[in-house]
Each structure stands twice: as structure tokens, then as C-alpha cells.
Amino acid sequence: MAILEINDIHVYYGNIRALHGISFSVEKGQIVTLIGANGAGKTTTLNAISGILAPRQGSVRVFDQDLARIMPHELVPQGVVQVPEGRRIFSRLTVDENLSMGAFTRKDKVAIAKDRERVLEMFPRLRERLTQIAGTLSGGEQQMLAMGRAIMSDPKILLLDEPSMGLAPILVDQVFESIQDIRKQGVTILLVEQNAYVALQIADYGYVLESGQIALKGPAKELIKNEEIRKAYLG
């Protein structure tokens, strides 16, 4: 069952076309990754799904609903949650307040408390820093907080934009372990990532974007062995 279906979308910035008719789907329970160089259209794709950008042509369907009929702010309560590039936490609020903001659209206090504990178990550093101002956290801790805040929204599909950007290798490993843990808890994940090797290691399926088009696609285990991809993205 496809949770997310992208069909022939074309996205523009003014008169400049950023996406040239891309199509793909994400099945329930999968980790699907979009890889490619800077400017390939990866973030644009996520922003089109989130409703931040409106495709001029084509359709985006989540849970079989056409998102053209849904306002961006209505997506989070329906389970579509994005962790943007650069984290974008509420830097002047505490860690605890950031987590509470993630649950802003929810009503069930028991479920919220359960998810908060789940986040703190997944990211023990956040438990140690609940009263700390979020802007004073390290880059890795901020990424953990951004992902924790997203979990507090009770996502059905999580859109992750460059979660490893700017992180030390040991923190990259921790973040990607957390992504796998989140999937085990029943969350479907669409992962945008420049670190192609690590992304393909944990993904079920992958798409390679080049200049706003899908150049290659296939099971992640096959893509990671593809000689063309190895030369272009894996070093």
C-alpha cells in the first residue's frame, strides 16, 4: 500500500523549472531515500509534498488524498511531518518546550506523555538537557531535538531533509540508527540525504535525482552496487 504517490510533478521557482515531471511512490513501512548532488531537486521535492511549494503540473497524494485540496497546516494532524534541512528548532525555547510544540495539534495527554517518554528513551541526551535553551545545544543534539519534536507530532510518514548535514561521523551513525528505530515503531520515512552510502545502507528503495529528474531508481541494495552511482556519489 502506497502512503505517498508523486505523479509527474513540475515545480518552478519563478520561471525556472526545478522539477521536471518526477514520479515515485513510498510504500507503508518503507525507508525510501532521494539522493543526488546539491541543486538536484531533493529539498524541492519534500517542500512540494509538504505544500510549501505548489506544483504547476502533476499531483501529490498522501493516504490517497490529493494534497492540492489540503492546506499545508492541515498535513501535520494527518500524519505528514517534515524535519527540515538545518533543523530549524525553536532556538529560544527550552528542549522541553520544543518537544511540547511538536505535540501542539494533539489532544490526548496520555498518548502525548507516552510519546515524550519514547523520545527521551531514544535520545537520552535530550533528557539530560530538558531545561536547556535549545539554541545552545550542539549540532548533533539539535538534530536529535528536531527529530524528537517531529515524533511528538505522531507522524505516519516522516520527511527527513539532510539529517546528517554538518555532523561529526560518530553523530551521523547515531542519527541513522535513530532513523531505523523510528521505522521499527511503524513510521514510514522519506529520506533526503547527500551521504548516499549511509542512506542506501538503511533504505529499502532509492531514487537518484539529477537536475530535477529521476536518473536512476531501484532497491537500495542494488543501487549501492551500481558502478555509475559508486563513481558519482560513493567515492
Side-chain angles (χ1 to χ4, degrees), residues 17 25 30 35 42 46 62-64 74 78 97 118-119 137 139 154 172 182 186 189 201:
R17 184 161 58 172
S25 63
Q30 283 188 323
I35 62 175
K42 305 186 301 296
L46 291 193
V62 177
F63 310 119
D64 206 31
E74 297 174 326
Q78 295 192 41
E97 289 168 337
R118 180 159 63 107
V119 168
L137 299 175
D154 191 24
V172 171
I182 292 168
I189 295 171
Q201 280 188 315

Side-chain angles (χ1 to χ4, degrees), residues 86-99 119-120 123-149 165-167 171:
R87 276 77 84 171
R88 298 191 189 178
I89 57 171
F90 298 103
S91 60
R92 296 185 181 183
L93 300 182
T94 65
V95 168
D96 199 23
E97 289 168 337
N98 269 268
L99 295 177
V119 168
L120 297 179
F123 303 114
R125 291 193 190 187
L126 298 184
R127 190 188 299 275
E128 298 168 4
R129 291 160 172 75
L130 282 173
T131 60
Q132 186 169 332
I133 297 300
T136 66
L137 299 175
S138 69
E141 290 164 349
Q142 289 187 18
Q143 184 63 52
M144 294 173 190
L145 178 56
M147 292 170 63
R149 183 182 62 188
M165 179 177 287
L167 301 185
L171 292 176

Side-chain angles (χ1 to χ4, degrees), residues 19 34 50 72 82 108 122 147 189 212 216 226:
L19 295 180
L34 304 180
S50 295
Q82 183 171 347
D108 187 338
M122 187 179 300
M147 292 170 63
I189 295 171
L216 289 168
N226 183 291

Side-chain angles (χ1 to χ4, degrees), residues 14-84:
N15 293 321
I16 300 172
R17 184 161 58 172
L19 295 180
H20 300 252
I22 69 170
S23 300
F24 66 91
S25 63
V26 180
E27 299 291 321
K28 183 178 181 180
Q30 283 188 323
I31 297 178
V32 171
T33 186
L34 304 180
I35 62 175
N38 280 334
K42 305 186 301 296
T43 294
T44 299
T45 301
L46 291 193
N47 288 340
I49 296 168
S50 295
I52 298 170
L53 296 171
R56 291 192 188 178
Q57 180 181 326
S59 65
V60 178
R61 300 184 71 85
V62 177
F63 310 119
D64 206 31
Q65 295 185 76
D66 188 343
L67 297 194
R69 302 178 181 180
I70 301 174
M71 297 297 291
H73 69 272
E74 297 174 326
L75 289 178
V76 172
Q78 295 192 41
V80 183
V81 180
Q82 183 171 347
V83 178

Side-chain angles (χ1 to χ4, degrees), residues 107-126:
K107 305 287 188 185
D108 187 338
K109 292 183 179 180
V110 173
I112 291 170
K114 183 177 179 181
D115 283 342
R116 181 179 181 276
E117 186 59 28
R118 180 159 63 107
V119 168
L120 297 179
E121 288 178 359
M122 187 179 300
F123 303 114
R125 291 193 190 187
L126 298 184

Side-chain angles (χ1 to χ4, degrees), residues 22 33-37 40 42 196 200 205-218 223-224 226 228-230 232-233:
I22 69 170
T33 186
L34 304 180
I35 62 175
K42 305 186 301 296
L200 290 171
Y205 205 87
Y207 295 87
V208 181
L209 288 183
E210 292 182 2
S211 302
Q213 301 179 74
I214 294 176
L216 289 168
K217 63 181 180 179
L223 291 180
I224 207 168
N226 183 291
E228 186 178 344
I229 291 176
R230 294 183 70 88
Y233 302 107

